[in-house]
Amino acid sequence: MRNGAVLPKHLELIVFAGSDGAFQLYGDSGEGQEYREGESFTTDFQFVWSAKEGTMLTIKPKGHKFSELPEKRQYCITLAGVMDSNDISVYSGQEVIEKSYDETKNRLLLKIALSPVGEMIQICFHKGLSLVENPVEQEIFKRLDSMMIEYEQKEKIFYNICKKAKVTDIAEELLAINLPQHVTEAIFEILFA
């Protein structure tokens, strides 16, 4: 951070559900060598996914205070690709101050009250979260059904989409088929949406 800028009081975290994940956010003054003497702050984020045994998001700050670090921070957390849930506990002394669900994007939105920046926060879904069904195959089937291309090409495209697990593998296979550009673009629009 430069010119006396302060690290943000509000952080937005987007979690794509379905498997475990973790990362670390690092901050220091951005000036001088104080970071070598421990004048820095990290926040560990750990997401443990289990649809049946409970899902947990842990926010664990650690480090030394320095002038650019706010005293309190608010987290806005978006869980993407999940069904709505009211089975939420927040362990930190704070409450979820706002919970909403965006049905058009299948996203669960949580806002945690301002809490001391050094305080650990755990958000637990005791019954786990459920993934929203991925409609990619149905959308591609509908798109292919309306296209004016050979039936054999439609069948080959749909077969490749159903048998491959990774989007990148599907894309490589489709490019190898040498489809008309408008067909490839229409399918990629659904795959990479």
Side-chain angles (χ1 to χ4, degrees), residues 6-136:
V6 177
L7 293 173
K9 282 186 177 181
H10 304 277
L11 283 180
E12 182 175 353
L13 177 66
I14 301 174
V15 179
F16 292 89
S19 65
D20 295 353
F23 75 96
Q24 186 176 75
L25 178 66
Y26 173 84
D28 63 27
S29 69
E31 296 178 351
Q33 302 292 316
E34 291 86 8
Y35 69 93
R36 291 183 181 202
E37 296 166 18
E39 293 294 318
S40 64
F41 197 79
T42 59
T43 305
D44 292 329
F45 296 86
Q46 182 177 20
F47 183 68
V48 178
W49 171 262
S50 175
K52 295 180 181 162
E53 298 167 11
T55 300
M56 182 161 313
L57 173 65
T58 304
I59 301 169
K60 188 175 182 181
K62 56 187 175 187
H64 299 285
K65 294 219 175 217
F66 54 96
S67 61
E68 289 82 5
L69 188 66
E71 290 198 24
K72 292 189 174 191
R73 178 170 281 162
Q74 180 181 39
Y75 291 95
C76 298
I77 300 161
T78 300
L79 294 150
V82 299
M83 297 178 76
D84 195 4
S85 174
N86 289 317
D87 178 39
I88 305 168
S89 294
V90 178
Y91 302 101
S92 73
Q94 304 300 322
E95 296 290 325
V96 174
I97 60 169
E98 185 178 318
K99 177 219 162 252
S100 60
Y101 187 76
D102 184 342
E103 289 183 21
T104 60
K105 294 182 180 177
N106 299 317
R107 292 180 175 217
L108 182 60
L109 311 163
L110 307 172
K111 279 190 182 178
I112 308 299
L114 276 169
S115 56
V117 76
E119 186 173 81
M120 183 171 90
I121 300 171
Q122 286 187 312
I123 302 167
C124 184
F125 299 87
H126 300 282
K127 296 177 187 171
L129 289 171
S130 298
L131 289 174
V132 174
E133 185 178 320
N134 188 346
V136 169

Side-chain angles (χ1 to χ4, degrees), residues 137-183:
E137 287 181 16
Q138 295 91 338
E139 289 297 317
I140 289 180
F141 182 85
K142 285 193 284 188
R143 185 77 55 101
L144 287 172
D145 192 43
S146 66
M147 288 183 179
M148 301 292 283
I149 60 174
E150 297 289 326
Y151 176 77
E152 290 79 20
Q153 277 189 317
K154 290 180 184 185
E155 190 174 74
K156 194 171 192 177
I157 294 166
F158 194 69
Y159 173 76
N160 280 306
I161 289 167
C162 292
K163 77 172 185 170
K164 303 283 184 188
K166 292 183 180 177
V167 174
T168 53
D169 293 342
I170 295 169
E172 285 178 13
E173 196 75 34
L174 292 176
L175 290 170
I177 297 174
N178 290 324
L179 298 167
Q181 185 175 353
H182 73 281
V183 173

